């Protein structure tokens, strides 16, 4: 009987420790995912800015500054944005006059990040940097391609501590009772709660491909007491004076309690995931609304088309250029609005570029306005690829 009591006692201790360990692992992983999503969102912001401007010759004009400042307003962790040419010269930065925190010509890590961005056509490159006052920061560089040639990068710079604080600041029920810290090398970027008061702590790398941050999580005493109870020791004492069947009964009660605890934890995590998905969708809607607002104030006709070269988005400016409303253009191909000979020429040239998945710039074409008059446009475009790297069409601009 004593032998069986010891077996049950050890099994209960192990089950409680495993349950706490699993809850700790899921909590640390949840925090890591929030940080990864924040970094990915920042990278998408810089990539979006680069996509909107890669068909332009350069950052001249107020529209670039306006667009860059709107990006800084939308992402408060960013302290600046810079347009850097392919010879590593800073052509423009926002806010105007702000000092760019890296030298792309002489700074070895920045030069390597610049070269890495030039080697790829769609991915953003991350580089950890030092900001003024020794603050830890991160640079995200997105490549600019035009006519198949690397033209430089759009670089965004943000304060690491502000970025982490933004990702970790929301109150989340599944994190209740836990403390967290985020570190970058020897620097602590964020901490909530005291030093670990027990042996339960877990550290995870945030992302090897983006930053070398590490997130640590550890439970408070209340969480530990929820999982590690006095029941196993009580069973052991009881087993010394009672039968194995009584111990088995307590074991069953404890197992059911732990299973209920795991189900409650799973429900909290699912609820938190649904809340985060809703926030992400709301942020995407706000970003799209800002992008549409910028597009609708530009003097050029902005367009998107699918892999069959049919328009899927047409900015309102099209009506002033060719006389057709966006609804009349959607689902149609560009050459459907050109004279017959011009339509064949443009279709053949566009088909050749599309098969090569190549960007193009200033492709001149003649269009028939709705009133029968002729207008000459310059067309620039860049290929768009889906999440699985499948060709999804083009986005670009018609200029009168």
């Amino acid at each position: 009987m004593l032998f069986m009591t010891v077996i049950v006692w050890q099994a209960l201790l192990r089950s409680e420790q495993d349950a706490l360990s699993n809850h700790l692992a899921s909590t640390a992983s949840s925090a890591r995912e929030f940080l990864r999503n924040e970094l990915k969102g920042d990278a998408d912001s810089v990539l979006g800015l680069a996509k909107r401007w890669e068909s332009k010759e350069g950052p001249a004009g107020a529209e670039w500054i306006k667009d860059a400042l709107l990006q800084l307003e939308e992402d408060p962790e960013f302290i600046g944005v810079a347009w850097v040419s392919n010879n590593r010269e800073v052509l423009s930065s926002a806010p105007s006059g702000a000092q760019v925190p890296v030298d792309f010509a002489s700074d070895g890590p920045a030069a390597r990040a610049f070269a890495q961005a030039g080697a790829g056509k769609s991915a953003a490159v991350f580089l950890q940097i030092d900001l003024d006052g020794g603050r830890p920061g991160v640079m995200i560089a997105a490549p600019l391609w035009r006519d198949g040639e690397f033209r430089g990068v759009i670089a965004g710079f943000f304060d690491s501590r502000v970025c982490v604080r933004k990702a970790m600041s929301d109150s989340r029920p599944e994190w209740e009772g836990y403390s967290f810290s985020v570190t970058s090398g020897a620097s602590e970027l964020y901490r909530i709660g005291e030093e670990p008061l027990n042996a339960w702590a877990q550290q995870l790398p945030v992302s090897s491909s983006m930053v070398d941050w590490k997130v640590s999580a550890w439970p408070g005493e209340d969480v530990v007491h929820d999982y590690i109870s006095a029941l196993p020791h009580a069973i052991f004492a009881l087993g010394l004076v009672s039968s194995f069947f009584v111990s088995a009964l307590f074991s069953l009660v404890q197992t059911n309690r732990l299973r209920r605890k795991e189900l409650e934890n799973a429900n909290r995590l699912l609820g938190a995931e649904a809340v985060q998905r809703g926030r992400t969708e709301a942020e995407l809607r706000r970003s799209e609304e800002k992008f549409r607002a910028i597009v609708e104030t530009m003097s050029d006709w902005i367009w998107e088309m699918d892999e069959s070269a049919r328009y899927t988005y047409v900015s309102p400016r099209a009506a002033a250029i060719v006389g057709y409303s966006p609804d009349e253009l959607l689902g149609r191909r560009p050459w459907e609005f050109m004279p017959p000979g011009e339509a064949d020429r443009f279709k053949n040239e566009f088909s050749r570029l599309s098969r090569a998945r190549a960007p193009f710039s200033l492709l001149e074409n003649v269009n028939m306005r709705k009133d029968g008059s002729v207008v000459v446009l310059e067309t620039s475009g860049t290929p768009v690829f889906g999440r699985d790297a499948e060709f999804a069409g083009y986005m670009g601009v018609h200029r009168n």
Side-chain angles (χ1 to χ4, degrees):
M1 182 185 300
L2 180 59
F3 173 76
M4 294 303 299
T5 299
V6 171
I7 294 298
V8 172
W9 170 66
Q10 290 178 334
L12 286 175
L13 279 178
R14 190 162 50 250
S15 67
E16 287 186 337
Q17 292 168 354
D18 288 346
L20 178 55
S21 179
N22 290 338
H23 188 260
L24 172 59
S26 65
T27 301
S29 296
S30 172
R32 177 173 64 178
E33 286 307 307
F34 277 102
L35 287 167
R36 284 179 173 175
N37 289 339
E38 186 67 29
L39 288 168
K40 185 178 182 301
D42 289 338
D44 288 344
S45 295
V46 179
L47 283 168
L49 189 61
K51 284 294 183 186
R52 294 198 293 274
W53 286 93
E54 66 181 357
S55 64
K56 307 288 186 180
E57 285 287 355
E63 287 182 353
W64 150 252
I65 294 296
K66 177 183 177 182
D67 199 1
L69 291 176
L70 279 173
Q71 195 68 62
L72 296 178
E73 179 184 340
E74 182 178 346
D75 297 308
E77 64 267 34
F78 279 94
I79 63 169
V81 178
W83 186 316
V84 186
S85 69
N86 58 359
N87 61 3
R88 303 181 185 178
E89 176 188 358
V90 176
L91 301 179
S92 178
S93 63
S96 298
Q99 183 178 1
V100 176
V102 298
D103 186 336
F104 291 93
S106 61
D107 184 350
R112 287 192 293 272
F114 186 91
Q116 185 180 350
K121 290 193 174 183
S122 59
V125 177
F126 286 75
L127 175 67
Q128 292 181 229
I129 59 175
D130 291 327
L131 303 176
D132 60 308
R135 293 177 298 154
V138 174
M139 178 189 78
I140 302 177
L144 290 166
W145 288 85
R146 191 164 177 265
D147 296 336
E149 179 183 351
F150 176 60
R151 295 301 183 93
V153 300
I154 298 291
F157 310 95
F158 67 78
D159 187 313
S160 298
R161 289 192 172 97
V162 177
C163 175
V164 173
R165 190 161 55 246
K166 178 183 175 184
M168 302 287 290
S169 61
D170 291 342
S171 176
R172 298 183 175 91
E174 74 273 20
W175 292 359
E176 185 177 353
Y178 276 84
S179 298
F180 299 90
S181 73
V182 181
T183 57
S184 175
S187 299
E188 185 172 78
L189 305 178
Y190 175 85
R191 173 186 289 275
I192 182 170
E194 301 297 328
E195 290 282 352
L197 301 177
N198 47 63
W200 297 96
Q202 185 167 107
Q203 185 179 78
L204 297 174
V206 173
S207 172
S208 60
S209 63
M210 292 187 284
V211 293
D212 70 351
W213 298 351
K214 292 181 174 59
V215 59
S216 300
W218 56 91
E221 292 299 319
D222 290 342
V223 175
V224 173
H225 291 157
D226 280 346
Y227 285 88
I228 309 299
S229 69
L231 186 58
H233 303 289
I235 290 177
F236 180 76
L238 183 63
L240 297 176
V241 294
S242 63
S243 69
F244 164 74
F245 298 103
V246 175
S247 299
L249 177 61
F250 276 101
S251 176
L252 179 61
V253 171
Q254 176 71 345
T255 300
N256 287 336
R257 184 179 75 88
L258 292 173
R259 286 179 178 173
R260 186 170 62 252
K261 206 71 173 174
E262 290 179 352
L263 287 173
E264 291 172 356
N265 178 44
N267 286 335
R268 282 197 299 270
L269 290 174
L270 288 173
E273 182 180 347
V275 170
Q276 179 62 19
R277 186 180 297 113
R279 289 174 179 157
T280 301
E281 291 173 353
E283 289 177 0
L284 287 174
R285 285 194 297 271
R286 286 196 296 272
S287 296
E288 183 176 351
E289 289 168 1
K290 285 190 176 183
F291 170 70
R292 298 299 185 198
I294 293 170
V295 166
E296 290 174 6
T297 60
M298 295 179 70
S299 59
D300 298 332
W301 165 6
I302 308 300
W303 52 264
E304 295 177 8
M305 62 177 61
D306 60 18
E307 65 274 13
S308 301
R310 295 183 184 277
Y311 288 122
T312 58
Y313 171 76
V314 176
S315 68
R317 183 62 182 169
I321 294 176
V322 294
Y324 292 97
S325 68
D327 287 340
E328 292 176 295
L329 293 165
L330 290 174
R332 308 280 297 277
R333 295 184 173 95
W335 49 84
E336 294 181 30
F337 301 92
M338 299 177 185
E342 177 70 358
D344 292 339
R345 183 194 68 81
F346 183 85
K347 179 179 178 181
N348 292 336
E349 179 64 11
F350 182 85
S351 298
R352 180 185 66 80
L353 293 166
S354 179
R355 286 192 298 272
R357 309 296 189 246
F360 56 90
S361 178
L362 304 180
L363 187 61
E364 190 172 289
N365 52 95
V366 178
N367 286 254
M368 298 293 295
R369 293 173 52 86
K370 190 173 183 179
D371 61 8
S373 61
V374 173
V375 61
V376 179
L377 303 180
E378 289 180 342
T379 300
S380 301
T382 185
V384 177
F385 298 92
R387 289 191 174 183
D388 298 327
E390 294 182 356
F391 177 63
Y394 274 85
M395 64 182 298
V397 58
H398 291 313
R399 178 175 297 164
N400 188 348

